[in-house]
């Protein structure tokens, strides 16, 4: 079993839709949770960074962490064609330096 | 302010050859991590360098080695290339502040082994 599971999609939505992206994990030691956006043939770009459980909002993006369920989510409101990319969840244990990534979900927002 | 830069952008090698990839961290960052991203997969951690020493290593064979220079830039070396080493190699830099470390990625070097 992988430490981080993520539905690879692909996911297609119309412009303006609310998008929900999710990851589950098995290691309860993960304390730091990130979402990265990766455009085709580019490096991952950090979108959201959260510590432990709770919500964090930044513009159209909201990250949620539910440690009791080992489940994290990223919501994108009013999705735009420019949001079309692969979204990677990543997480890290306290005191460790390496990130564990999901496989990524490919999102397409249709104009 | 330049972000993380990597060179070259693309590389084609044949099996058995050796390759060196280079990374310059974001200004103000002192820590460099390397990841391998196979097609359709998430990045996998190779190792991290801090103060010119390998601080942590992932589950990669000894064919993968690295170096960090006094200016914090870093190299990734892969010996005896295999077809399975074909991937996007990503460098991430961060400023070591313990638990609050956040990693920022470069554009990657795409390696094709024939």
């Amino acid at each position: 079993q992988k430490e981080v599971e993520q539905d690879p999609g692909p996911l297609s939505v119309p412009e303006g839709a609310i998008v929900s992206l999710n990851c589950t994990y098995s290691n309860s030691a993960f304390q730091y949770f990130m979402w990265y956006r990766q455009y085709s043939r580019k490096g991952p770009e950090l979108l959201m960074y959260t510590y432990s459980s709770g919500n964090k909002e930044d513009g159209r993006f909201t990250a949620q962490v539910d440690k009791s369920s080992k489940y994290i989510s990223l919501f994108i409101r009013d999705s735009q064609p420019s949001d079309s990319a692969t979204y990677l969840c990543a997480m890290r244990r306290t005191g460790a330096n390496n990130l564990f990534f999901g496989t990524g979900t490919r999102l397409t927002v249709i104009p | 302010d330049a972000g993380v830069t990597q060179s070259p952008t693309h590389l084609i090698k044949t099996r058995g050859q050796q390759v060196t990839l280079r990374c310059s961290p974001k200004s103000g960052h002192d820590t460099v991590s390397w990841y391998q991203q196979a097609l359709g997969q998430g990045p996998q951690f190779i190792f991290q360098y801090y103060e010119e020493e390998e601080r942590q290593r992932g589950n990669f064979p000894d064919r993968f080695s690295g170096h960090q220079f006094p200016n914090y830039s870093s190299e990734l070396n892969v010996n005896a290339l295999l077809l399975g080493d074909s991937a996007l190699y990503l460098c991430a830099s961060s400023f070591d502040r313990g638990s609050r470390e956040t990693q920022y990625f470069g554009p990657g070097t795409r390696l094709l082994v024939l």
Side-chain angles (χ1 to χ4, degrees):
Chain A
Q1 182 189 8
K2 286 186 178 181
E3 294 207 57
V4 182
E5 300 278 358
Q6 183 175 9
D7 185 342
L11 181 63
S12 292
V13 300
E15 183 175 353
I18 297 175
V19 176
S20 172
L21 304 168
N22 311 292
C23 288
T24 59
Y25 61 96
S26 57
N27 190 339
S28 58
F30 288 136
Q31 293 278 1
Y32 299 89
F33 303 92
M34 288 133 275
W35 285 95
Y36 286 85
R37 178 175 62 195
Q38 186 173 26
Y39 290 113
S40 181
R41 299 193 169 275
K42 301 290 185 182
E45 170 194 8
L46 181 66
L47 276 179
M48 301 291 281
Y49 179 98
T50 54
Y51 170 69
S52 195
S53 287
N55 295 355
K56 184 174 182 179
E57 186 174 321
D58 184 2
R60 297 185 295 110
F61 298 91
T62 299
Q64 288 186 352
V65 176
D66 181 349
K67 290 194 67 184
S68 63
S69 301
K70 298 191 180 70
Y71 187 87
I72 69 171
S73 301
L74 177 71
F75 297 95
I76 307 174
R77 291 182 298 280
D78 187 25
S79 56
Q80 302 295 310
S82 59
D83 295 328
S84 298
T86 295
Y87 289 80
L88 295 154
C89 64
M91 44 201 79
R92 182 169 63 84
R93 300 188 302 270
T94 299
N97 305 300
N98 54 318
L99 298 178
F100 288 84
F101 282 87
T103 54
T105 300
R106 174 174 275 187
L107 171 68
T108 301
V109 180
I110 303 166
Chain B
D1 175 29
V4 180
T5 60
Q6 292 185 244
S7 63
T9 55
H10 296 83
L11 207 50
I12 299 175
K13 292 286 188 179
T14 57
R15 281 180 299 173
Q17 285 189 312
Q18 178 264 344
V19 69
T20 298
L21 311 181
R22 296 175 177 82
C23 171
S24 291
K26 185 178 168 65
S27 177
H29 286 185
D30 58 5
T31 303
V32 173
S33 303
W34 287 92
Y35 291 79
Q36 179 195 66
Q37 186 177 22
L39 199 61
Q41 300 297 315
Q44 298 286 315
F45 176 76
I46 303 174
F47 42 53
Q48 185 181 79
Y49 276 83
Y50 173 69
E51 292 188 339
E52 302 179 50
E53 297 284 337
E54 182 183 292
R55 177 157 69 174
Q56 186 175 352
R57 188 179 185 92
N59 188 25
F60 279 80
D62 292 344
R63 297 187 297 110
F64 290 78
S65 63
H67 188 77
Q68 186 179 33
F69 299 94
N71 67 353
Y72 308 119
S73 66
S74 176
E75 288 182 349
L76 164 65
N77 301 292
V78 187
N79 294 323
L81 284 167
L82 304 174
L83 296 180
D85 294 332
S86 295
L88 180 68
Y89 288 85
L90 294 163
C91 169
S93 75
S94 55
F95 175 66
D96 180 74
R97 45 178 179 165
S99 298
R100 305 298 294 175
E101 173 193 298
T102 303
Q103 296 184 16
Y104 295 86
F105 284 82
T109 293
R110 192 165 295 277
L111 173 65
L112 177 62
V113 182
L114 301 176

